[in-house]
Structure formats: structure tokens, C-alpha cells
Amino acid sequence: MNENKLKDKLEDYKKALKKLKIALEKDPHVDEIYLDGTIQRFKFVYELSWKLMKNYLEYQGIEVSSPRETFREGFKSNLIEDATQWINLMQNRNRTSHTYNEETAWDIYDKIKTEYIYLFESFLISISNKI
């Protein structure tokens, strides 16, 4: 992994996060397609975030193999403020395979809107300052 590849991955992350923010501006109560679409965008941003974090850590010489390990090392490296919040985010991302359950889908949507978007934005700031 070199610095240019990290910058490319950062740009991909920025674009995906911007699309998630746009999705959150829609009212999922008007059309449930917005609920499903927002959850899909959340999943995409999540995947890009942990992989970007992993790539940055590896660029710094820190080997990690799983999202959970990445979040722990990301916390130690000051990329994120709270590894536990990210692990909870990861667990909810894993629950998205059960979004056919309407209650689960709404619960995850609420967490995206009230918690996770801020974790993603905070990570964007910290990783941008380091790359």
C-alpha cells in the first residue's frame, strides 16, 4: 500500500459518505425504498471505512486482519475515538442481513442517523489529517 492508493481509497470513502448523507436527507416514511437504500449505503460506507482504516494501519506497519482488530488498533492510533462504538456499529452492520424484519431495519436506520453518521464523519476528519 502506498500513499497514492491511500488517497484514492480516501476519495472513495468521501464519495460514499456524501451519498449516505444525501440518503439521510430523504424521508423513509414517505417511501420505504429510502429506508432500504440508506441501509445499503451505510453498509457500503462501513466496508470502505474499516478497509481504509486497515490499509492506513498497514501502511504504518501495523498488521490487522479483522474489522474488530482494526477498530482496536485504530483507537490506539488515534484514528477513532471509541473502539466500542465502532464494534457496536460493526455488529449492527452484520444485523443488516435481517432488514426484512421491519423493526430491525428501523432500529438500524435510527442508529445510522443519530450515531453512526457522526462516527463516519469523525473518522473522515482524522484519516484526512493523517494521509
Side-chain angles (χ1 to χ4, degrees):
M1 181 63 56
N2 64 40
E3 190 173 336
N4 287 334
K5 286 185 181 180
L6 277 173
K7 287 179 180 179
D8 290 343
K9 290 182 181 296
L10 175 61
E11 285 307 309
D12 291 343
Y13 178 70
K14 283 181 185 178
K15 289 175 191 174
L17 182 56
K18 183 177 178 181
K19 287 184 177 187
L20 176 59
K21 288 180 182 180
I22 291 168
L24 288 169
E25 293 172 2
K26 306 291 184 186
D27 184 354
H29 295 95
V30 172
D31 187 342
E32 284 193 17
I33 195 77
Y34 295 131
L35 176 66
D36 298 341
T38 302
I39 290 172
Q40 281 303 116
R41 287 184 176 184
F42 161 72
K43 289 166 62 170
F44 192 55
V45 172
Y46 164 79
E47 293 298 325
L48 290 173
S49 67
W50 93 261
K51 289 176 182 174
L52 175 58
M53 197 178 303
K54 178 183 187 297
N55 292 145
Y56 176 79
L57 291 168
E58 289 174 348
Y59 180 71
Q60 296 297 313
I62 302 167
E63 291 297 318
V64 290
S65 58
S66 69
R68 187 178 302 266
E69 187 179 2
T70 299
F71 299 141
R72 288 184 180 136
E73 291 298 326
F75 172 72
K76 290 178 188 175
S77 298
N78 294 316
L79 291 173
I80 57 175
E81 295 176 17
D82 188 334
T84 302
Q85 287 179 316
W86 279 84
I87 290 169
N88 290 338
L89 184 153
M90 174 193 70
Q91 291 169 335
N92 274 308
R93 185 268 174 244
N94 293 341
R95 288 176 58 213
T96 61
S97 61
H98 303 289
T99 56
Y100 56 83
N101 178 317
E102 192 172 347
E103 186 177 325
T104 300
W106 283 108
D107 180 51
I108 292 170
Y109 176 85
D110 289 340
K111 289 186 183 314
I112 295 166
K113 191 162 186 133
T114 61
E115 297 174 38
Y116 301 151
I117 192 68
Y118 302 109
L119 294 178
F120 290 143
E121 289 174 333
S122 179
F123 172 62
L124 175 61
I125 292 167
S126 69
I127 195 73
S128 294
N129 289 334
K130 293 186 181 280
I131 294 180

